[in-house]
Every structure is written in structure tokens, then in C-alpha cells.
Amino acid sequence: MKQELRVAAYAVCVRDDEILLARWVAGDGSRLWTLPGGGMDHGEEPARTMVREVEEETGYAAEPVALLGIDSVRRSWLRRFAGPGDFQGLRIVYEARITGGELRPETGGSTDLAAWHPLSAVPDLPRVELVDIGLDLWRERPPTGRSRLSAPLAPALPPNG
């Protein structure tokens, strides 16, 4: 079974009761709103990943304000020729402030549009679950850095187990 781990960093940018989102284009062509962010390059510091990804996907310069939390997602798959696989994504979520730049869509990347959305409109948007997790972390600021919307924790292994 192929195992894969990816680490990514994302930004929750809220100003004037609006949140900045990027529209992700899935492999099947569907489009869902997500937090601006993405995969960390080898050797890259996570906050720097978030800053780079915000600029790539939205055109804005951003700076981290606070580390909100870490979300872990795990999915299994069965591909026609590749066989079974096990994917884990570690998603580091920051609160960020826009410091410059101009809003524009990403060119040649995984997103095709960036826009500000009223917080009140988010529940009606087609979106990935990370948007809700990021907003929950931003609103609640849990001391553990773990959203109540994240997948339940796996039970602990018994000693010597």
C-alpha cells in the first residue's frame, strides 16, 4: 500500500466581516472555495509557505498574525492501476493580515479565482471542509489548536500495543 504525507499551510484572512477565499479546481473540473494556501516545499518554513501561497493564489502580500491550529485529514483510495493508497494531509492554519498587493486570480495553478466573501454567505458557498475548520479555529481559538469540526481523535494504543 502506498502511503503519502503532505504538509500544507493556509491563511484565514478576515477583514470588514469578509473572508478571502480561493476557488480550487478539482481533477473532475468541479470548483470549490477554499482557504488560500497549499503545499510546503522541502526546507520551507510553514509561515513562509502560507505567505507564498496567499500571494500565488490571490495576488496579495500577507503576514502571519497568529497560529490558529493544525488539522489532520486522512483518506484511503483505490486507483485502477496504482492499487490501494493511504493519504494523510497535515494542514497548518494561520490567521493572516493583508499588507499589500492587488486581488487577482492565480495563473496556471490549482485555483482559478480569488474573492472576498461576506462571512454570513459562507454557509451557502460550495466549499471544502477546511473553510469551516479554519473559521472555527479563528472564532474559537482553542488552546489545543484543534477544531471541534476536525475528525475525531483515534483511540490511544494500549501500552506495548
Side-chain angles (χ1 to χ4, degrees), residues 45-108:
E45 198 274 328
R48 177 69 195 116
T49 298
M50 180 274 298
V51 169
R52 175 180 54 77
E53 289 283 344
V54 168
E55 194 281 324
E56 288 176 6
E57 294 182 354
T58 72
Y60 285 126
E63 67 180 7
V65 173
L67 174 62
L68 295 176
I70 298 174
D71 182 63
S72 180
V73 62
R74 188 172 179 190
R75 296 191 173 93
S76 296
W77 74 84
L78 183 59
R79 292 192 179 150
R80 188 170 176 190
F81 298 110
D86 185 8
F87 168 83
Q88 182 179 9
L90 190 63
R91 305 183 296 191
I92 304 166
V93 182
Y94 291 92
E95 178 181 14
R97 174 177 35 246
I98 301 303
T99 60
E102 291 185 23
L103 184 64
R104 56 124 181 97
E106 182 177 24
T107 304

Side-chain angles (χ1 to χ4, degrees), residues 7-157:
V7 180
Y10 295 88
V12 176
C13 301
V14 176
R15 71 176 187 199
D16 301 326
D17 292 321
E18 292 186 323
I19 185 168
L20 178 63
L21 298 175
R23 192 170 66 181
W24 173 66
V25 182
D28 65 4
S30 61
R31 289 167 164 76
L32 299 170
W33 291 101
T34 187
L35 298 176
M40 195 166 77
D41 293 334
H42 180 77
E44 189 175 33
E45 198 274 328
R48 177 69 195 116
T49 298
M50 180 274 298
V51 169
R52 175 180 54 77
E53 289 283 344
V54 168
E55 194 281 324
E56 288 176 6
E57 294 182 354
T58 72
Y60 285 126
E63 67 180 7
V65 173
L67 174 62
L68 295 176
I70 298 174
D71 182 63
S72 180
V73 62
R74 188 172 179 190
R75 296 191 173 93
S76 296
W77 74 84
L78 183 59
R79 292 192 179 150
R80 188 170 176 190
F81 298 110
D86 185 8
F87 168 83
Q88 182 179 9
L90 190 63
R91 305 183 296 191
I92 304 166
V93 182
Y94 291 92
E95 178 181 14
R97 174 177 35 246
I98 301 303
T99 60
E102 291 185 23
L103 184 64
R104 56 124 181 97
E106 182 177 24
T107 304
S110 60
T111 64
D112 70 348
L113 187 62
W116 291 94
H117 296 273
L119 289 171
S120 61
V122 169
D124 296 324
L125 293 173
R127 65 195 183 282
V128 299
E129 77 280 352
L130 183 61
V131 173
D132 297 328
I133 290 168
L135 278 172
D136 183 60
L137 290 168
W138 178 74
R139 287 180 176 124
E140 301 298 324
R141 311 232 176 213
T144 61
R146 187 170 191 287
S147 170
R148 60 191 166 83
L149 302 177
S150 295
L153 291 172
L157 293 175

